[in-house]
């Protein structure tokens, strides 16, 4: 199974925050062959380790989260489902196709009024989550029987190419980054390391960041890298806050990134001839790195991001080359520990 097939397989799974287990199981199957050991912790995160076999070796933890944005059913009215959001902007929802993760799953659509019956004033208003419903084509009695309260809902699965290099679909945030970690492990397969390499597929990033923080607290790594997505360049996006798809991963610079880790990342990119972009983060990076950095006595942290268009929508898009270059950079970064003058 190649990188694109792994990504398609992971993105097809409905697994929003708090309901990640199906994605974690699939990710574990892909990760296990490249690790000495892999396990699922108490909160449901996936952890794998490849030990270098050297006494007193430092620990390097690479994280990408496996949850996605979604919805949770909170009530049923006349057969229509009411819901709360899990990291979803209400503006993204009217007329969207969704998958209600019952057993078996059922399709639905987020109901919307046609423009013909809206007033000019209403057409200018952003929808509110509490005003929206999911239509699953059922009467009240059937819906109550088939859709328990608390059932998760995700965007309908889609995965396709845009042009020759871009991949598009739901849950690219952040399963594309986890696939990049799988690719990192492949690139390091026959390389001797001076650190014990831990790969984390964390849960609950879109809701709290608890999954990564708990694992970091438990493992007490010496170094960690939060690998996530950042905003890709579009015609309507501010150039100073967006990044070019195909321009390489973005290295975070700011208080969530340890200075020597940033330099080490940039030096590795230069040595390997890997194009990178620099993302200035004046405060929280908005990634798991923010919580991981302050675990225990503090962890030296870096943030590395793949540019992604249309974040938290069912048509998230990124460049395949950025997935590969992220893996190449992480492999070079991991391999640089223990070199002369390295931390």
């Amino acid at each position: 199974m190649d990188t694109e097939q792994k990504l398609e397989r992971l993105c097809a799974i409905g697994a929003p925050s708090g309901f990640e287990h199906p994605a974690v199981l699939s990710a574990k199957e892909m990760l296990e062959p490249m690790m000495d050991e892999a396990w699922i912790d108490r909160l449901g995160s996936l952890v794998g380790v490849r030990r270098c076999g050297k006494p007193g070796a430092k620990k390097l933890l690479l994280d990408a989260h496996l949850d996605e944005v979604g919805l949770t059913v909170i009530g049923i009215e006349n057969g229509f489902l009411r819901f709360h959001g899990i990291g979803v902007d209400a503006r993204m929802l009217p007329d969207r196709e969704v998958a209600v993760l019952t057993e078996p799953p059922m399709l639905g659509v987020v109901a919307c009024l046609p423009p013909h019956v809206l007033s000019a004033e209403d057409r200018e208003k952003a929808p509110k989550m509490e005003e929206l419903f999911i239509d699953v084509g059922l009467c009240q009695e059937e819906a109550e029987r088939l859709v328990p309260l608390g059932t998760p809902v995700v965007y309908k699965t889609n995965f396709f190419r845009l042009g020759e290099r871009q991949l598009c679909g739901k849950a690219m945030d952040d399963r594309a980054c986890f696939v990049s970690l799988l690719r990192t492990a492949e690139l390091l397969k026959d390389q001797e390391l001076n650190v014990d390499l831990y790969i984390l597929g964390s849960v609950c990033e879109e809701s709290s960041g608890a999954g990564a923080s708990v694992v970091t607290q438990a493992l007490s790594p010496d170094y960690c890298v939060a690998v996530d997505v950042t905003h890709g360049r579009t015609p309507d996006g501010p150039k100073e806050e967006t990044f070019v798809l195909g321009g390489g991963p973005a290295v975070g610079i700011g208080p969530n990134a340890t200075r020597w880790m940033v330099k080490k990342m940039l030096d590795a990119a230069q040595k390997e001839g890997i194009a990178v972009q620099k993302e200035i983060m004046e405060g929280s990076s908005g990634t798991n790195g923010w919580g991981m950095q302050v675990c225990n006595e503090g962890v030296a942290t870096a943030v590395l991001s793949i540019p992604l268009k249309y974040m938290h929508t069912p048509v998230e898009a990124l460049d395949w080359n950025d997935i590969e270059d992220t893996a190449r950079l992480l492999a070079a970064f991991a391999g640089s520990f223990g070199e002369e003058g390295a931390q």
Side-chain angles (χ1 to χ4, degrees), residues 135-150:
D135 185 351
V136 287
L138 301 175
C139 67
Q140 182 71 14
E141 183 179 354
E142 290 173 322
E144 289 178 350
R145 178 171 58 87
L146 296 173
V147 187
L149 298 185

Side-chain angles (χ1 to χ4, degrees), residues 63-194:
D63 163 72
H65 66 88
L66 287 169
D67 57 319
E68 64 185 294
V69 298
L71 311 167
T72 309
V73 176
I74 62 168
I76 302 172
E77 295 183 20
N78 299 316
F80 290 74
L81 312 182
R82 298 188 67 90
F83 55 86
H84 278 167
I86 306 173
V88 172
D89 187 326
R91 294 173 300 172
M92 300 294 106
L93 292 173
D95 74 17
R96 293 293 190 187
E97 297 174 282
V98 295
V100 182
L101 302 181
T102 49
E103 191 59 54
M106 65 176 69
L107 295 179
V109 294
V110 181
C112 63
L113 288 172
H116 313 70
V117 298
L118 290 174
S119 67
E121 182 182 359
D122 286 338
R123 280 197 291 270
E124 297 299 319
K125 291 181 180 178
K128 296 180 180 179
M129 193 80 69
E130 59 269 22
E131 297 172 347
L132 298 173
F133 296 86
I134 297 173
D135 185 351
V136 287
L138 301 175
C139 67
Q140 182 71 14
E141 183 179 354
E142 290 173 322
E144 289 178 350
R145 178 171 58 87
L146 296 173
V147 187
L149 298 185
T151 298
V153 180
V154 295
Y155 293 127
K156 181 185 175 185
T157 295
N158 57 83
F159 187 95
F160 55 95
R161 280 185 170 268
L162 286 177
E164 294 183 358
R165 299 196 319 269
Q166 292 185 25
L167 303 173
C168 184
K170 78 166 186 70
M172 296 287 184
D173 172 12
D174 192 34
R175 293 178 197 158
C177 293
F178 184 80
V179 167
S180 189
L181 298 190
L182 294 175
R183 178 64 178 146
T184 301
E186 288 180 357
L187 293 173
L188 291 171
K189 182 179 178 182
D190 299 318
Q191 182 174 334
E192 181 179 346
L193 297 176
N194 294 303

Side-chain angles (χ1 to χ4, degrees), residues 4 7-8 158-169 172 176 232-235 243-247 306-310 315-323:
E4 184 174 338
L7 180 57
E8 181 174 9
N158 57 83
F159 187 95
F160 55 95
R161 280 185 170 268
L162 286 177
E164 294 183 358
R165 299 196 319 269
Q166 292 185 25
L167 303 173
C168 184
M172 296 287 184
R233 183 74 46 82
T234 55
F243 300 87
V244 177
L245 269 67
I306 295 177
L308 176 94
K309 297 184 293 188
Y310 323 127
V315 289
E316 296 177 331
L318 45 70
D319 192 302
W320 185 92
N321 289 332
D322 290 334
I323 298 176

